[in-house]
Amino acid sequence: MTTKRAAYCAMLTALAVIFGYVEALIPIGFGIPGVKLGLANIVIVIALYILPNYQVFVIQLMRIVLVSFLFGNMSMMLYSLAGGMLSLLVMCYLKRMDIFSVTGVSIAGGVSHNIGQLVVAVLVVQNLKIAFYFPALMMAGLVTGCVIGMLACRIKSVIEKIDIG
Amino acid sequence: MFRKKDFLLITAIIVIAVVSAILIALAQSEAGAMIRITIDGTFYGEYSLSENQTISVDETLGYNRIVIENGSAYMAEADCPDKYCMDYLPIAKNGETIICLPHKLVVEVVGTQDARQLDVVVP
């Protein structure tokens, strides 16, 4: 890894952390408790298309750990890890399959993110009734994933021209 | 920005969400008789929805105040960090839930209205 690339990855991580912070300041609600846009995922989706997979995983892990320690708590980290890592795995796989556009990949990521968190929530409170939020969370993942994907698509076309070392 | 297959994915997600939402709505169509509170998977208490009351739960994980008013229950107060539980709309139908994740607390509506009425009185 070149110095330039290391700096680039660090910058993306910092940007993702800041997005997480901005979102904590100005929550954009969707009428479902706990659902948010996930601005930081713009960074992750773009990184997925310009960096090797393992570097994106490191950025995602660093982002979750930093945001949880700085602005959240330990239980939040568990949910973020489950959602963040599942969605990144799904997105990596779908990107490799090359059947969906950036927006499609992001939608799948948004939905799987929410499903990952729901599964952890069911395990934590030991109550299957929570799974009743499945349809609402799926639709929320679809909408947020779509918005993030469309933004990432636009930004990606500009960023691709930059030499990242 | 979109490919054809994207719309297939979007349609599939909407279909799954709508079908499961309909199934859940059917399961939750009856008015419930009482609320059951569980903390960390263990039973805490059951309270009738037909009488107005306030339930204060003060356990090791934190404080929650649930209010039953006119046949529906809502989270009036909580000292959890995110306060998402207070955003839930009041619950009254069988199977509906309010969840306070940081406190691992679940409020769910159980039992149907009919269950409270006597079928026959044996002399």
Side-chain angles (χ1 to χ4, degrees):
Chain A
M1 189 194 270
T2 62
T3 315
K4 195 172 184 179
R5 173 64 64 85
Y8 196 80
C9 288
M11 191 200 73
L12 285 179
T13 310
L15 194 60
V17 170
I18 287 299
F19 275 162
Y21 178 61
V22 167
E23 202 164 44
L25 287 179
I26 324 155
I28 308 162
F30 283 87
I32 308 157
V35 170
K36 53 182 183 174
L37 186 54
L39 276 176
N41 289 310
I42 295 181
V43 178
I44 301 301
V45 173
I46 293 169
L48 196 65
Y49 280 86
I50 53 176
L51 295 173
N53 284 348
Y54 80 94
Q55 289 177 4
V56 188
F57 269 95
V58 173
I59 291 176
Q60 176 80 306
L61 186 67
M62 291 298 290
R63 175 187 79 82
I64 292 167
V65 171
L66 284 170
V67 169
S68 302
F69 273 115
L70 289 172
F71 321 116
N73 50 58
M74 292 316 282
S75 77
M76 182 182 147
M77 190 155 106
L78 187 65
Y79 294 101
S80 302
L81 274 176
M85 287 304 162
L86 180 69
S87 77
L88 192 49
L89 275 175
V90 168
M91 288 195 294
C92 278
Y93 180 72
L94 290 179
K95 185 206 143 199
R96 198 172 182 173
M97 298 279 289
D98 198 29
I99 41 174
F100 301 120
S101 70
V102 179
T103 316
V105 169
S106 173
I107 289 171
V111 172
S112 53
H113 185 277
N114 288 355
I115 291 173
Q117 294 201 321
L118 186 65
V119 169
V120 174
V122 168
L123 293 175
V124 165
V125 300
Q126 301 279 312
N127 192 323
L128 255 179
K129 286 277 169 65
I130 300 176
F132 282 0
Y133 290 98
F134 174 75
L137 287 177
M138 262 194 110
M139 288 308 290
L142 173 66
V143 174
T144 58
C146 197
V147 172
I148 295 296
M150 284 158 74
L151 287 170
C153 195
R154 275 290 173 85
I155 299 165
K156 189 183 82 111
S157 59
V158 179
I159 286 187
E160 271 172 340
K161 292 166 193 144
I162 301 169
D163 173 29
I164 55 166
Chain B
M1 200 169 272
F2 285 100
R3 280 198 218 166
K4 264 187 187 167
K5 287 271 172 60
D6 289 346
F7 296 104
L8 214 64
L9 177 74
I10 294 171
T11 314
I13 292 169
I14 293 176
V15 167
I16 295 171
V18 168
V19 168
S20 48
I22 291 171
L23 291 176
I24 289 165
L26 286 174
Q28 291 184 335
S29 58
E30 284 177 283
M34 52 192 171
I35 55 164
R36 179 188 296 152
I37 299 172
T38 49
I39 298 167
D40 203 1
T42 50
F43 180 84
Y44 180 84
E46 279 181 344
Y47 308 88
S48 172
L49 274 171
S50 53
E51 53 185 288
N52 291 351
Q53 54 185 314
T54 303
I55 304 131
S56 290
V57 180
D58 203 355
E59 290 293 294
T60 44
L61 286 166
Y63 174 76
N64 290 79
R65 187 159 55 88
I66 299 118
V67 171
I68 299 177
E69 217 171 67
N70 306 323
S72 58
Y74 63 92
M75 188 69 73
E77 203 186 336
D79 65 354
C80 55
D82 55 30
K83 309 259 190 260
Y84 291 142
C85 51
M86 287 161 69
D87 291 341
Y88 282 88
L89 293 172
I91 53 170
K93 285 174 183 164
N94 200 10
E96 286 185 321
T97 51
I98 292 176
I99 301 140
C100 183
L101 274 182
H103 294 169
K104 300 183 184 181
L105 181 139
V106 180
V107 182
E108 63 178 283
V109 180
V110 290
T112 52
Q113 289 282 353
D114 308 332
R116 280 187 298 169
Q117 290 157 2
L118 299 174
D119 290 335
V120 276
V121 177
V122 180

